[in-house]
Amino acid sequence: MNADESLGMGLKRPRRLRGCGLMRRMVQETRLCREDLIMPLFVCPGRGVRQEIPAMPGNFQMSVEVLVEECRQIADLGIPAVILFGIPPSKDPQGSSGYDPQGVVPQALRALKEAALDLLLIADVCLCEYTDHGHCGVLRGEEVDNDQTVALLVQASLVYAQAGADIIAPSDMMDGRVGQIRRGLDRQGWTHVPILAYAAKFASAFYGPFRQAAESAPRFGDRRGYQMDPPNVREALREIELDLEEGADIIMVKPALAYLDIIRAARDRYLVPLAAYNVSGEFAMVKAAAERGWIDEIRIRDEILLSIKRAGADLILTYFAKDVARGLP
Ligand SMILES: [Zn+2]
């Protein structure tokens, strides 16, 4: 009796399609490609600065001219976009260097525009990198004042658009900011500049290493008064819906790995491009375990990024972007 007879003729054998690498490649449903990737970068004052961020190996705080060279390499790797975060020379309660036309991010945007790279420039818009208290907006008592903050975010968005940002990406989670930024941009003639809204951004411990990178940890309290509560799916969809009503062109879920269900729910419900932020903590965990020889970094990295894509993300903001692009055929 051969195997087919013992198990019954016509047995379904999915293993036929896993027999060799070529076959597996042919039937592969999800692929990572360089066009999916957005590289986050940190710009700081000074010249010749390239300071590695301790919990994010291979990522640096860079002064403007170093950043331009970095972006040249990123563009050469075929990555379509970078997102810029600023580390200002000084901070104050109003985060005023966040909307200063001479601030680090506008300087970087102008230098990058001048370099005319084949690269989209996304400007993250928030105040937490620029406020001395580390919260994402201006305070009234110990609370972030929503509407006063939104007015400043509009100002920052206009400064970034003027300096050459191709996409404006508000990450603060204030109510109504997408609509106000859209109106502000349109009034100044920036009708063609899209908004990538951090629509569902959760109050997450996965942001730890970033706060070290951007020197933006809150001095007191936490961000639960404006960022979302991790258990909530319906609330995430409502946040996304409001941002779309207000004019968001691309929506984002952040973090990615612990929120794949949110990414899937958003993909199933909305038609616009969907981004997911593979955040610093997700990156640092992989790096740290790999450094100890506990995991295979490249396989784990690719498995994580594929899971984010499979969940439904079109775009992935990731500190792995350069490494991944280098390894792609
Ligand atoms: Zn913030």
Side-chain angles (χ1 to χ4, degrees), residues 126-129 135-136 171-172 201 223 226-227:
C126 196
L127 296 184
C128 52
E129 297 128 66
H135 279 283
C136 296
S171 63
D172 50 283
K201 180 176 178 179
R223 298 194 170 126
Y226 37 104
Q227 295 178 352

Side-chain angles (χ1 to χ4, degrees), residues 286 289-291 293-303:
V286 174
E291 246 173 49
W294 289 354
I295 58 166
D296 178 331
E297 176 179 336
I298 292 174
R299 288 191 56 199
I300 295 263
R301 173 196 82 192
D302 290 353
E303 208 170 317

Side-chain angles (χ1 to χ4, degrees), residues 40-325:
L41 296 173
F42 301 93
V43 56
C44 68
R47 279 193 72 78
V49 183
R50 185 178 167 82
Q51 168 114 31
E52 191 163 34
I53 299 153
M56 298 168 67
N59 288 268
F60 302 84
Q61 293 185 351
M62 289 171 280
S63 54
V64 169
E65 85 295 356
V66 176
L67 181 94
V68 172
E69 282 320 300
E70 178 78 9
C71 285
R72 205 181 295 283
Q73 287 178 26
I74 290 170
D76 287 347
L77 284 167
I79 295 168
V82 294
I83 181 162
L84 299 183
F85 299 91
I87 297 118
S90 64
K91 306 192 182 204
D92 60 30
Q94 276 73 41
S96 49
S97 48
Y99 36 91
D100 175 358
Q102 299 311 318
V104 280
V105 169
Q107 280 182 42
L109 288 167
R110 284 191 291 269
L112 286 166
K113 272 291 146 194
E114 203 162 310
L117 305 172
D118 208 7
L119 196 64
L120 290 168
L121 308 177
I122 307 175
D124 177 90
V125 176
C126 196
L127 296 184
C128 52
E129 297 128 66
Y130 306 99
T131 53
D132 53 9
H133 45 73
H135 279 283
C136 296
V138 287
L139 299 177
R140 190 165 41 181
E142 296 218 330
E143 289 297 317
V144 173
D145 184 304
N146 191 90
D147 299 6
Q148 229 188 314
T149 299
V150 169
L152 297 177
L153 296 170
V154 172
Q155 231 176 297
S157 302
L158 294 174
V159 165
Y160 296 156
Q162 178 75 43
D166 297 302
I167 299 175
I168 297 294
S171 63
D172 50 283
M173 290 301 281
M174 296 302 124
D175 293 332
R177 92 282 206 211
V178 171
Q180 291 296 330
I181 290 173
R182 183 72 271 160
R183 267 189 288 281
L185 289 170
D186 290 354
R187 256 189 234 121
Q188 301 287 320
W190 304 107
T191 51
H192 56 286
V193 174
I195 294 177
L196 189 178
Y198 287 65
K201 180 176 178 179
F202 290 87
S204 171
F206 281 98
Y207 305 146
F210 174 95
R211 292 186 184 163
Q212 191 180 50
E215 299 168 4
S216 64
R219 290 285 145 79
F220 64 88
D222 54 39
R223 298 194 170 126
R224 287 168 209 261
Y226 37 104
Q227 295 178 352
M228 283 195 46
D229 204 16
N232 295 356
V233 185
R234 291 193 303 270
E235 190 189 359
L237 296 174
R238 179 167 149 72
E239 281 284 4
I240 293 171
E241 202 152 292
L242 291 173
D243 281 3
L244 287 171
E245 280 170 17
E246 290 175 31
D249 300 279
I250 305 175
I251 52 176
M252 191 201 293
V253 173
K254 181 184 180 183
L257 189 53
Y259 297 85
L260 296 177
D261 57 327
I262 312 281
I263 296 173
R264 171 45 56 191
R267 173 71 298 149
D268 288 344
R269 191 172 293 224
Y270 303 109
L271 300 176
V272 296
L274 173 61
Y277 202 139
N278 173 228
V279 300
S280 59
E282 299 170 41
F283 175 84
M285 289 194 306
V286 174
K287 285 286 182 185
E291 246 173 49
R292 292 184 165 204
W294 289 354
I295 58 166
D296 178 331
E297 176 179 336
I298 292 174
R299 288 191 56 199
I300 295 263
R301 173 196 82 192
D302 290 353
E303 208 170 317
I304 289 173
L305 295 177
L306 262 178
S307 79
I308 296 168
K309 185 129 187 231
R310 198 180 61 235
D314 304 296
L315 303 166
I316 306 174
L317 293 83
T318 176
Y319 302 98
F320 287 119
K322 275 176 76 184
D323 291 353
V324 172

